[in-house]
Amino acid sequence: MDRTAPSTAGDPTRTPDPAAVLRSRRYVGLLVLAALTGVPVSVAAYWFLRAVDLVQAWVYTDLPGALGLRPAPLWWPVPPLVLAGLLVGAVIRYLPGRGGHSPVDGFAAGGVPDPRNLPGVVLAALAGLGLGVVLGPEAPLIAVGGGLGVLAVRLARRDAPRDAAAVMAAAGSFAAISALLGSPIVGAFLLMEASMSAGAALGVVLLPGLLAAGVGSLVFLGLGTLTGVGTTTLALPDLPAYTHPDAAQFGWAVVAGLAAALLGGGIRRLAVLVRPHAERRTVTGAVVVGLAVALLAIGYALVTGHPTTDVLFSGQSGLEPLLVGSAGYSVPALLVLIACKGIGYGLCMAALRGGPVFPAILLGAAGGLALSHLPGLPLVAGVAIGIGAMCAVMLRLPMTSVLLPTLLLFSDGIAVMPLVIVAVVVAHVAAARLAPRPPRSPAPGEEPGNGRTPP
């Protein structure tokens, strides 16, 4: 900070005085710059999401009709997803930044992203998400917002210090994701918990980030009104009324947590197993994954009679039709959906680019619907514990995983929260226990691999 803030240079053990930081002129300048940056970043994020929606609608609805294929034939997902693999694989192979970080590694929080990587991130996301891969837009949005935040601070001051660039990167990410999850608070909460998991300091980042998220949410609302498209909302209407939890529902919450740990752990293991092979031949591996996802969607449609789009895409737009039309999904159909989308999710995480949030939400909702056929578990409770438990396993962010079902279920969210907390805690702990143990570093004087000290 400036001269009004105490410096910790040369003494990494000292913690800056929060009051002095807030009083410093430089911090006030960062707040102003964060608010100003939130506007263009949010505009870019809004049109990025609109572009993804337009590509999806054109490829899967308009193009088949223009070619005289109405309705679209069952094999239609094959060409778009093969093309998605080809394009995303080429971006990863040839452009700087490899199209963003791999979804297997979770959220990349903290640090100073390189703005030169932005074209690759945007191209990989538009090609993959627009053409139907089973990943969400949140990770590309975080990367784009962070890169634009760094670019803004460097344009304002060429010799800007690294800590100022890190604060603006976080503020840009907050602004970009502010309205994606239906509320700026949820997006900000996700980024804050991810940053804490990554060991980033939140003291000076929090206020600029929240300010940018608030500005970004207002921009999203304004653009939604101007374009007539509206904004994203995850609140699910028209669900059966829910009263209160009971002992049986708490028991099913434990079961849901354990089941999510097994399912999510399997998806993660699949992604980790496939990634080295996909990275060895980047373009070929991505094309093979795209083809495999298309075949999974076709197989699901053949077996269940439901559309291939249940398996394709992130699941963001398919969540409400699934829950509102839950009477049309039998338990076997839900299990096939979970299997096909789960395998596609794991494959896409291994070879392509995108975020893990929305596929986890849809898988959790489908699992909750299947569980709600058990005695003593209402639909709303089943969906809530399913979403919370699956998000806890796939995101490794337990607090965010509790908050998401609350937002989704609107008025019932508070009543069902105790069940969600139980499911999330069980899932988070069980997933950690089921995960492979990292190799132990040998102790001083110990030979690697045998646990014995040399003679």
Side-chain angles (χ1 to χ4, degrees), residues 11-12 50 77 137 140 160 237 242 310 312 337 339 415 429 454:
D11 185 3
R50 286 288 296 132
Y242 180 76
D310 284 358
L312 305 180
L337 172 59
V429 174

Side-chain angles (χ1 to χ4, degrees), residues 434-453:
L434 292 173
R437 291 179 180 270
R440 185 177 68 88
S441 300
E446 180 182 332
E447 290 184 352
N450 60 12
R452 298 192 299 270
T453 55

Side-chain angles (χ1 to χ4, degrees), residues 59 61 75-76 140 148 166 173 176 185 195 268 287 321 362 418 441 452:
V59 169
T61 304
W75 53 263
W76 183 255
L148 291 177
S173 296
I185 289 296
S195 297
R268 281 195 166 278
V287 169
L362 190 132
S441 300
R452 298 192 299 270

